[in-house]
Amino acid sequence: MTTDTRPLILVVATGMRHYREYLLRSIGTEYRVHLFVTAEPGWEREHVTGWTVVADLDDGPAMAAVALELDAREPVRGVLCWDEARILAASYISEALGLPGGDPEMVRRCRDKHLTRVALDALGVPQPRSLAVSTVDEALEAAAEFGYPAILKPRGLGGSLGVIKVEDPLDLAERFAFVRDLTVPGGATFEVPVLVEEFADGPEVSVDAVVQGGVVTPLFVGRKVLGYEPYCEEVGHFVDAQDALLDDPEFCRVLQDTHTALGFTDGFTHTEIKLSSRGLRVIEVNGRLGGDMIPYLGLLTTGIDPGLAAAAAACGLPPALVPERKLVGGVRFFYVAEDDTTIESIAFDETALPPEIDRAIAVVAPGSIVSPPPKGTLWGRIAYATALASTVDECRAALDAAEANLKVKAAA
């Protein structure tokens, strides 16, 4: 029996080290962390107190049985997962252990974008009109009803993967197969796989929030930077600790109504909202911490630790949510120019980076073959940089400098 009295939290999967280690590092300072993984951990070991190798991280009931055995030896206080493909499976563990977040149907309403739309519509939450379709003919009928431009999106993916703006029927017909057939490891699949949605103009933001007892507390707002039109690739984000939306009554009301409609009562969420000319429009809700280093920027700019906040919510404990600073952070992702590029060498010239650059990380190794969007999508990224400053303009200038000093050599 351990003499360590810190709460034991079970973390399902960890994700890529470059994007997620900061979360595990933070959580390990106040919690004993036990991992469920499919292979012996490597870099994770310094942040955890134990692990169990399981056969399948997508099999929630099977993992729940293993977790009950662990809980009999060492009581588990909470279950946490930030891997979009595994959050539903993780909810079965929470359910079996009687812990916060233990409602698979609650999580399913976030994972399945069609169910999200149905739930929000029932409560009148503002959102684009949407129809789930199987064929290009059905998609053409839906778009004719909504008007052009329209949006095509995969029903079960996240991170704007496969989301395309189409301008007319010919454009839709040419691009439909790409959206229908796009798959990612662990991605959800459906017999009716594509959503056709009304286009909402204006900028898009994301908000990471803690939810306890159904009450939503927004922590960080991310302002998206999109690229590679008509694909909605997220090529960067800016987070301002003093973003006015955090205190905007209408924004906070819509955010709360969204979670109420979904029946989302406990956990951490990442919600995407369009600031359209017709008002706020909810785009989607992810039942997990945000990706793309957005929570990390929140940590840099406010001092609120998203890993510890998510862990507290998972354990039913009060999170520490008082900001300690008021800064602006940014992240930018970098890509190669041509499909199927073989990387011979890649590195930032760190001597030329401005002091506002916080991180400059190559995420691919020599020998990697990568492509830009649409072929490359999320996995086409070759590097990223984060910046911390007093204004968005200062962050943008620093990220420009990082981009200029990223040296990539492609194999002949």
Side-chain angles (χ1 to χ4, degrees), residues 19-238:
Y19 292 114
R20 293 303 198 181
E21 184 176 17
Y22 75 96
L23 294 171
L24 210 56
R25 178 183 295 114
S26 290
I27 296 168
T29 62
E30 295 189 13
Y31 295 82
R32 290 179 294 129
V33 178
H34 189 99
L35 296 181
F36 272 10
V37 287
T38 55
E40 292 291 318
W43 60 266
E44 300 97 335
R45 293 186 185 218
E46 67 176 288
H47 307 301
V48 306
T49 57
W51 60 86
T52 300
V53 176
V54 299
D56 186 356
L57 291 171
D58 299 318
D59 190 339
M63 288 196 295
V66 177
L68 285 168
E69 295 177 1
L70 171 65
D71 184 62
R73 301 192 305 270
E74 299 181 80
V76 176
R77 186 67 183 270
V79 178
L80 184 59
C81 180
W82 48 73
D83 183 333
E84 176 70 16
R86 277 67 185 250
I87 58 172
L88 180 58
S91 70
Y92 283 93
I93 304 173
S94 300
E95 180 183 43
L97 298 177
L99 296 172
D103 182 352
E105 292 309 309
M106 172 185 83
V107 177
R108 197 185 307 276
R109 286 188 289 271
C110 297
R111 282 287 286 138
D112 182 340
K113 290 178 170 53
H114 176 62
L115 292 184
T116 300
R117 291 287 180 233
V118 172
L120 299 190
D121 186 60
L123 200 65
V125 176
Q127 61 176 338
R129 290 180 294 167
S130 174
L131 283 174
V133 301
S134 299
T135 68
V136 67
D137 287 340
E138 291 173 347
L140 288 167
E141 289 181 12
E145 178 183 341
F146 298 156
Y148 289 92
I151 295 292
L152 300 182
K153 65 169 59 174
R155 180 172 171 178
L157 303 185
S160 296
L161 293 175
V163 179
I164 302 177
K165 178 184 176 184
V166 292
E167 299 292 344
D168 53 47
L170 179 60
D171 197 18
L172 184 154
E174 289 178 346
R175 299 185 186 280
F176 181 81
F178 171 83
V179 180
R180 179 195 63 202
D181 299 337
L182 182 64
T183 60
V184 301
T189 58
F190 300 93
E191 289 186 10
V192 183
V194 176
L195 297 185
V196 180
E197 298 198 337
E198 181 182 29
F199 174 70
D201 64 358
E204 186 171 342
V205 303
S206 64
V207 53
D208 280 61
V210 168
V211 188
Q212 291 188 298
V215 178
V216 182
T217 303
L219 305 183
F220 321 121
V221 169
R223 303 273 178 162
K224 287 189 181 184
V225 181
L226 300 178
Y228 295 94
E229 292 185 357
Y231 304 93
C232 301
E233 183 72 15
E234 298 176 14
V235 299
H237 306 268
F238 291 100

